[in-house]
Amino acid sequence: MSQELDTKLSETGTRFRVYPQNKNLKGFNEPELIYINSKPGTIKAGPQDDRMYVIDAKNKNPYDHPYLPPYSGQHYPNVEPDSEGHFDYIDPKDRAFGSTSMYASIRRVLDIWEDYFGKAIPWFFRAHYSRLEIIPRIVWNNAHAGYGFIEFGFPRKNHLSTDFENPYCENFDVVAHELGHIIKYEVIGFPDSEESETYEYGGHHEAFGDLISIVSLLHFDSVLNHLLDNTKGNLFSINELSRVGELNESESIRSVFNDMKMSDMLDVTEEHDLSLPFSGGAFDVLVEIYEHNLIEQGTIPENLAKRSYHADEVELPGIEEEFKQHFKDKKEEFKTALLDARDYFGKLMALTWDKTSPNNLYYSKVVTNMIDADMELSNGKYSKIIRDCFEWREIIKSIDNNLLRTWRVN
Ligand SMILES: [Zn+2]
């Protein structure tokens, strides 16, 4: 969301606390204060409001058609606001924290993206349900979002046991990814027929969730600081953003920081794997806009930015040392460049997705929409960046590539 709106919310919004990422990750063990775009007193016990409600169900199995909301079984009591209408008083060790953090994560992602889209994002299931049902803890080793609901289980500790101390509902970035799917069903929708559903529609679905999550994560001060401090401003190095939905520090379930090209995807149909060239290319666009801002502000020289893009192992140490020198006295300038890049990228993706049809969806068409969106937003200021990033991923050229065309009609 715009930095102006975000600043305003710290005076007018309702307070909650959430963990931006897996709370076992170093540097993210404390929940961060966030503000929801609702006046204190308007969010009722649950928490609940006019768009969504939390039910902390007891021993619930996952929804699976025809088992659908509303949930009518036993549940724990609703969580009450404090006397001023805020929810940040809940102790992270209390069971109730799962309810407040999951509600706040969903509401925050919606606040952020409704601002980028410049309009309300209604629920795709509104014909049957006026509100989203949120279940923080179900008996399951996974998380999912569907028709009228979003519900979360627990990660596995290892092959034999479940990590009941670290529920998914307390991990903002996992919640944001799942809500991303619900947003996409409304914004892009479903293909009209089986024939018009492509593998890339499925791959783009996962990329959409990851990009929604990454941009939302960049609204946490702890994430911004950790990220910039650890990379000294060189975001092309391994960083926090690349670990969306990560279960622990070594096991990454998705990664937008990747070097996958379409030629690596010839036999791939699994959605998460297939998402990588698109989400990786989009992440490159975000980072290049950030570096463009750094150059424009006079924070780093142009040739450093150019060399940092896809630098190899021999070049990397020298490049990191140069970033370190610039970063030393100019951290605030790096942060401004990143916040501005985040907000441009958020608006760019929102307008891109507004133009995207679910029928015969290919990554190349989404990129064309991105170039058109950039033209509308800034008269094409970043069109070369967009083209270069997706040509490198072999997404733009793939339109005329016979090999890829054959693969696509499978
Ligand atoms: Zn997903």
Side-chain angles (χ1 to χ4, degrees):
M1 77 177 45
S2 74
Q3 292 153 60
E4 297 74 43
L5 176 58
D6 212 8
T7 307
K8 202 185 100 190
L9 291 187
S10 61
E11 286 151 27
T12 60
T14 301
R15 293 196 303 266
F16 285 83
R17 285 190 297 164
V18 306
Y19 294 102
Q21 304 197 76
N22 182 335
K23 65 186 176 191
N24 291 337
L25 283 178
K26 218 176 116 215
F28 296 98
N29 322 103
E30 289 298 320
E32 188 170 329
L33 190 65
I34 63 168
Y35 297 87
I36 296 305
N37 191 6
S38 305
K39 287 201 176 73
T42 60
I43 301 172
K44 305 295 179 203
Q48 62 178 303
D49 60 32
D50 58 338
R51 298 286 311 274
M52 59 190 77
Y53 60 96
V54 178
I55 292 196
D56 190 2
K58 288 184 182 175
N59 299 318
K60 182 187 176 299
N61 290 313
Y63 280 128
D64 191 12
H65 189 82
Y67 175 38
L68 286 170
Y71 176 76
S72 57
Q74 290 199 325
H75 61 89
Y76 290 89
N78 284 339
V79 184
E80 301 279 344
D82 69 15
S83 58
E84 289 174 353
H86 299 288
F87 289 83
D88 59 328
Y89 76 94
I90 301 288
D91 189 322
K93 291 188 193 74
D94 285 356
R95 184 183 173 95
F97 188 78
S99 295
T100 58
S101 71
M102 193 165 165
Y103 168 86
S105 301
I106 290 171
R107 194 75 226 195
R108 176 74 169 158
V109 173
L110 208 54
D111 284 349
I112 289 167
W113 283 95
E114 287 191 338
D115 189 50
Y116 289 139
F117 275 93
K119 60 190 176 191
I121 302 169
W123 301 131
F124 73 95
F125 47 76
R126 59 191 173 281
H128 288 93
Y129 303 109
S130 60
R131 298 196 296 166
L132 174 70
E133 187 175 280
I134 300 168
I135 316 263
R137 284 174 172 87
I138 57 168
V139 186
W140 203 27
N141 284 316
N142 212 333
H144 68 164
Y147 202 78
F149 69 89
I150 184 166
E151 56 183 3
F152 286 73
F154 300 84
R156 288 178 202 272
K157 244 186 206 159
N158 51 48
H159 294 307
L160 300 170
S161 65
T162 299
D163 190 359
F164 290 110
E165 299 301 309
N166 193 18
Y168 283 130
C169 65
E170 292 183 4
N171 182 338
F172 176 90
D173 109 45
V174 174
V175 176
H177 174 93
E178 288 304 323
L179 189 72
H181 291 333
I182 291 188
I183 292 175
K184 197 218 72 170
Y185 288 140
E186 171 60 27
V187 171
I188 296 179
F190 301 89
D192 293 338
S193 63
E194 247 176 64
E195 296 76 58
S196 61
E197 180 170 351
T198 59
Y199 286 126
E200 282 170 54
Y201 172 82
H204 180 261
H205 183 62
E206 291 307 325
F208 192 107
D210 283 346
L211 294 170
I212 289 282
S213 178
I214 276 166
V215 172
S216 304
L217 267 178
L218 285 176
H219 287 71
F220 286 92
D221 226 34
S222 58
V223 172
L224 291 165
N225 288 333
H226 198 83
L227 176 62
L228 289 171
D229 289 341
N230 278 9
T231 60
K232 305 296 174 218
N234 178 16
L235 300 193
F236 275 122
S237 62
I238 298 293
N239 57 53
E240 306 318 311
L241 283 185
S242 67
R243 300 201 307 235
V244 183
E246 187 177 279
L247 304 182
N248 59 47
E249 286 187 81
S250 60
E251 187 184 358
S252 178
I253 54 174
R254 286 178 292 273
S255 176
V256 298
F257 185 85
N258 70 73
D259 56 4
M260 289 292 153
K261 299 181 177 188
M262 292 307 279
S263 51
D264 299 313
M265 298 287 134
L266 295 179
D267 299 319
V268 175
T269 53
E270 200 284 323
E271 307 185 327
H272 296 87
D273 294 336
L274 188 52
S275 72
L276 296 176
F278 185 85
S279 59
F283 178 67
D284 291 345
V285 169
L286 168 61
V287 175
E288 287 216 25
I289 293 173
Y290 156 74
E291 294 206 336
H292 190 277
N293 292 348
L294 287 175
I295 297 163
E296 224 172 42
Q297 290 174 186
T299 313
I300 62 166
E302 189 170 359
N303 76 16
L304 175 59
K306 279 205 173 120
R307 280 181 290 131
S308 70
Y309 184 56
H310 293 299
D312 62 28
E313 280 167 26
V314 180
E315 297 162 322
L316 204 57
I319 287 165
E320 299 209 319
E321 187 52 39
E322 281 182 62
F323 264 96
K324 209 165 148 187
Q325 292 306 321
H326 292 290
F327 186 70
K328 219 168 43 185
D329 307 317
K330 296 188 253 182
K331 184 175 165 182
E332 282 313 306
E333 291 174 38
F334 278 84
K335 203 166 176 177
T336 304
L338 182 52
L339 288 173
D340 290 346
R342 173 198 78 186
D343 290 343
Y344 187 80
F345 183 76
K347 277 195 225 160
L348 178 71
M349 292 317 298
L351 191 53
T352 299
W353 287 328
D354 253 344
K355 296 173 184 294
T356 299
S357 162
N359 298 312
N360 303 306
L361 188 153
Y362 293 109
Y363 294 160
S364 56
K365 287 188 183 175
V366 185
V367 173
T368 304
N369 293 343
M370 206 186 288
I371 292 166
D372 290 347
D374 181 60
M375 189 57 78
E376 280 177 43
L377 290 172
S378 66
N379 207 18
K381 188 171 177 184
Y382 303 104
S383 81
K384 183 169 166 18
I385 287 179
I386 299 167
R387 277 175 204 282
D388 286 351
C389 289
F390 286 101
E391 267 179 28
W392 192 88
R393 301 279 168 174
E394 301 166 349
I395 283 174
I396 296 186
K397 279 181 186 162
S398 65
I399 298 170
D400 299 311
N401 184 319
N402 284 333
L403 188 63
L404 291 172
R405 188 179 296 143
T406 309
W407 165 74
R408 275 176 181 154
V409 293
N410 282 341

